[in-house]
Amino acid sequence: MTTRVRVSAAAPYDVVVGHGVSAGLGELLGEQVRRAAIVHPPSMREQAVRLRADLAAGQVDVHLIEVPDGEQAKVSDVLQFCWRVLGDAGFTRSDVVVGLGGGATTDLAGFVAATWLRGVRFVNLPTTVLGMVDAAVGGKTGINTVAGKNLVGAFHEPVGVLCDLDLLATLPGAELRSGLAEVVKCGFIADPTILELVENAGAASVLDPASPILAELVTKGIAVKAATVAADLHETGGLGGPGGGAGPWAADDPAGPWAANGIGREALNYGHTLGHAIEREEQFTIRHGEAISVGMVFVAELASRYDLIDDELVERHRAVLSSLALPTTWAGAFSPLLAAMRLDKKTRGDELRFVVLEELARTRILAGPEESVLRESFAALTRSSR
């Protein structure tokens, strides 16, 4: 079964989810494209070669740009290497960049496209759960710097996204679980049916790449992000959708409607403020979803200390994430994380801002929490319950 989720951006596009959908890349590019660059990590070399052969049959001149795995690709040296390949190949504004890989690869490929000639078209072909439900949808592109993660970037929407579930078959279990952290996040901030599906199906079904349960979870996660992005394209505070106001969806729209709560696209950063700090402290050796899992438990603890949510909802965070063997504790010191969080994109001046829940599927910003409460919330991560 193939599902299309429409992203109502300035230039609307579809996210196509299903088995074997990568075969539709040539059709998505269209007959006018004569040159394409496929940015991919070493693990996707074989798939990139197959795509090149398919596109070459349609008279497309394809250039493969192999970049390092994971976050190691999102650095300025790799970005300049990609620019050099495009320059040597004579890429023009009528040509296309394709991001084939996980979220780090599609982040980089999108930024390459956004910056070359002030913007050329690009297509995302994510190969991980994390890439499918998070990085490949929404137009956020960028690279990391020594100061932090994703601090240099641009908003640049793809012309389409192909989420080929067949590509998950060889994905390591740890990577699968990492991506599901972002799906679970969507359940807490917007669509509780995601949480119910995880709780009722059991880990064996959820973690089976061929399972229809996983396909449904991926589609639901994409739908949450698509609706959120459509309501607040540039993270200025949405007027509709999860974290926004009254949603403009039809009754049968798979994306909503969800609770209106006024913070727009920032809702998608649930758990990310601490999570990004942990990633930086671990020099990006920890998986993104693992860090975000810990970050979600942290902000749940923080919200409970300001009497926004009850203990039951805090413990539901731990239960759902633990059922997928995702971490809910972190053994490092808090002070370095606090310093890193002060560089977070949501920080305003010296005031830290956290996305928190005020009830299930209803988010808000908690601005300027006391440092003592932050430390107490972090300390709770080392305890199984409060």
Side-chain angles (χ1 to χ4, degrees):
M1 177 180 175
T2 299
T3 304
R4 289 179 178 268
V5 179
R6 189 70 164 169
V7 182
S8 299
Y13 60 94
D14 287 337
V15 181
V16 184
V17 187
H19 293 277
V21 299
S22 58
L25 178 60
E27 181 181 356
L28 178 59
L29 295 185
E31 296 180 356
Q32 303 305 314
V33 172
R34 287 292 172 263
R35 194 178 289 109
I38 300 178
V39 181
H40 68 92
S43 59
M44 285 292 112
R45 184 180 302 138
E46 185 176 338
Q47 179 68 19
V49 169
R50 285 199 295 266
L51 289 173
R52 179 175 63 184
D54 291 343
L55 294 176
Q59 306 304 308
V60 178
D61 180 20
V62 180
H63 298 261
L64 302 186
I65 306 179
E66 187 166 294
V67 299
D69 282 311
E71 296 293 326
Q72 300 306 311
K74 291 173 57 176
V75 296
S76 59
D77 286 349
V78 177
L79 176 65
Q80 291 183 55
F81 166 69
C82 294
W83 286 336
R84 187 162 62 250
V85 173
L86 297 187
D88 290 345
F91 262 61
T92 70
R93 285 184 175 170
S94 62
D95 300 324
V96 178
V97 174
V98 178
L100 171 69
T105 303
T106 57
D107 278 354
L108 171 69
F111 193 50
V112 170
T115 51
W116 185 253
L117 301 178
R118 297 188 177 91
V120 298
R121 295 191 304 155
F122 83 106
V123 172
N124 274 331
L125 213 166
T127 62
T128 66
V129 173
L130 180 61
M132 291 177 184
V133 302
D134 184 37
V137 181
K140 277 189 175 181
T141 70
I143 60 171
N144 305 326
T145 71
V146 293
K149 184 173 180 178
N150 296 330
L151 294 181
V152 175
F155 288 99
H156 191 56
E157 298 285 349
V159 297
V161 180
L162 301 175
C163 297
D164 191 338
L165 299 176
D166 285 346
L167 298 177
L168 302 180
T170 58
L171 195 67
E175 290 293 341
L176 197 62
R177 290 191 294 273
S178 175
L180 283 167
E182 289 283 357
V183 179
V184 169
K185 176 201 74 177
C186 292
F188 280 115
I189 68 169
D191 184 2
T193 66
I194 289 174
L195 305 179
E196 295 166 7
L197 197 56
V198 172
E199 290 164 337
N200 296 332
S205 293
V206 172
L207 296 171
D208 179 359
S211 166
I213 298 296
L214 179 60
E216 184 177 358
L217 286 168
V218 168
T219 302
K220 283 178 175 288
I222 291 170
V224 168
K225 182 154 191 187
T228 309
V229 166
D232 185 16
L233 291 176
H234 294 147
E235 203 169 287
T236 55
L239 298 176
W249 303 281
D252 60 350
D253 191 323
W258 290 297
N261 44 69
I263 70 169
R265 189 168 176 157
E266 277 194 277
L268 295 169
N269 288 318
Y270 188 65
H272 282 56
T273 302
L274 182 74
H276 282 169
I278 290 174
E279 287 183 280
R280 182 187 176 195
E281 182 67 11
E282 294 285 351
Q283 299 182 330
F284 302 107
T285 57
I286 186 173
R287 291 178 175 84
H288 176 74
E290 294 169 345
I292 299 312
S293 178
V294 176
M296 284 190 280
V297 178
F298 171 75
V299 289
E301 289 283 356
L302 182 61
S304 73
R305 281 164 173 75
Y306 281 95
D307 296 322
L308 295 173
I309 62 174
D310 59 24
D311 290 348
E312 183 179 355
L313 185 50
V314 176
E315 292 309 315
R316 192 176 187 186
H317 282 70
R318 285 192 172 89
V320 173
L321 294 166
S322 296
S323 75
L324 299 175
L326 285 163
T328 58
T329 64
W330 194 69
F334 183 67
S335 292
L337 300 182
L338 182 59
M341 287 191 289
R342 296 195 186 284
L343 292 173
D344 187 83
K345 297 185 295 296
K346 293 178 292 303
T347 298
R348 302 292 185 267
D350 293 328
E351 185 178 74
L352 288 174
R353 300 165 79 250
F354 294 87
V355 178
V356 297
L357 296 181
E358 55 185 17
E359 61 182 64
L360 182 60
R362 187 175 180 88
T363 54
R364 60 166 286 179
I365 295 295
L366 178 63
E370 298 174 36
E371 183 174 328
S372 61
V373 181
L374 292 174
R375 290 185 178 277
E376 183 182 345
S377 301
F378 183 78
L381 298 184
T382 65
R383 302 191 293 270
S384 60
S385 62
R386 291 177 55 202

